[in-house]
Amino acid sequence: MEQEKTIEEQIKEELKEEERRIRELEERVSKLEQIARVSNQRLVELQKDYELLKERYRRDIEEFRKYGYEKFALDILEVLDNLERALEAKTEDVNALRSGVEMIHRQLLSVLEKYGIRAMELENMEFDPMLAEAVERELSLDSPPNTVIRTLRKGYYLHDRVLRPARVVVSYAEEELT
């Protein structure tokens, strides 16, 4: 009988131990469920923030494309104002008028340079098809073959990229005639 009691007590203790472990596991499951809820909620918030950020970025890009040249436009308008004043000038003095137009030309070049636009200097350089279009060829005894001898239309860089290629006249040698 005593042995039965011991077995019964042993089973009761094991049952209590199992119940304690079950409670511990239930608590852990409850904590993990809470963590999962918080994590899922945070994920939803982050996705919402991401979508809002994407939309804002799209609007910023659109606005930049629309208004990004505002400073450049204002600087060009200053040049236009000076050009209009020169055209309105009531002067018979051609030299004064020419001097005014030269000043406006320098002002325009300064504005262009401020924004990274600069003219190409290609004359007396070897012809480079990446920088210029050869629209004419001309016999030249003074220049080596394939040299730019005249610029018909200036080319321009925008920073380090060709904005507009030049149109040039390229030399050739007498031997190329045959």
Side-chain angles (χ1 to χ4, degrees):
M1 182 109 137
E2 214 171 285
Q3 198 175 19
E4 279 179 29
K5 211 173 190 184
T6 330
I7 292 176
E8 194 176 305
E9 285 176 8
Q10 217 175 12
I11 291 174
K12 281 182 182 180
E13 272 186 44
E14 285 178 14
L15 247 153
K16 281 182 185 179
E17 182 63 28
E18 288 300 318
E19 286 174 354
R20 187 186 60 75
R21 287 177 67 203
I22 288 173
R23 276 194 305 274
E24 278 181 15
L25 290 172
E26 285 174 344
E27 286 175 16
R28 286 178 69 192
V29 166
S30 177
K31 286 179 183 177
L32 290 172
E33 285 174 342
Q34 177 65 23
I35 290 171
R37 272 194 299 279
V38 169
S39 295
N40 285 338
Q41 189 176 4
R42 182 69 180 136
L43 177 63
V44 168
E45 290 171 2
L46 287 173
Q47 285 173 330
K48 186 177 171 184
D49 288 348
Y50 173 71
E51 290 302 319
L52 290 172
L53 188 61
K54 233 170 52 172
E55 178 60 23
R56 180 174 177 192
Y57 179 72
R58 186 197 59 75
R59 275 182 293 165
D60 287 351
I61 293 292
E62 187 177 305
E63 188 173 310
F64 179 75
R65 284 185 182 142
K66 194 172 184 180
Y67 300 109
Y69 300 103
E70 185 175 0
K71 289 181 182 177
F72 180 71
L74 288 171
D75 287 344
I76 290 294
L77 289 175
E78 289 293 323
V79 175
L80 180 63
D81 291 343
N82 288 335
L83 189 56
E84 287 173 346
R85 279 193 283 277
L87 291 172
E88 291 171 0
K90 309 269 190 246
T91 182
E92 298 290 322
D93 186 0
V94 175
N95 288 334
L97 188 59
R98 179 175 178 78
S99 174
V101 170
E102 286 172 347
M103 283 174 48
I104 294 168
H105 180 257
R106 283 191 302 275
Q107 181 186 17
L108 179 59
L109 289 175
S110 173
V111 167
L112 292 175
E113 193 170 305
K114 177 180 175 181
Y115 291 94
I117 301 170
R118 58 187 167 75
M120 295 178 182
E121 300 296 330
L122 300 177
E123 289 189 20
N124 300 318
M125 307 267 300
E126 184 176 352
F127 173 71
D128 183 347
M130 300 302 287
L131 302 177
E133 301 170 13
V135 293
E136 289 182 35
R137 293 183 68 197
E138 196 173 284
L139 176 64
S140 175
L141 302 174
D142 300 331
S143 301
N146 205 31
T147 300
V148 175
I149 54 176
R150 215 169 44 254
T151 302
L152 302 177
R153 183 188 79 180
K154 281 186 178 181
Y156 289 88
Y157 293 107
L158 176 58
H159 301 289
D160 60 345
R161 197 181 279 177
V162 174
L163 178 62
R164 179 180 84 178
R167 290 192 178 150
V168 297
V169 177
V170 178
S171 66
Y172 67 90
E174 266 186 280
E175 304 89 51
E176 294 181 38
L177 288 174
T178 56

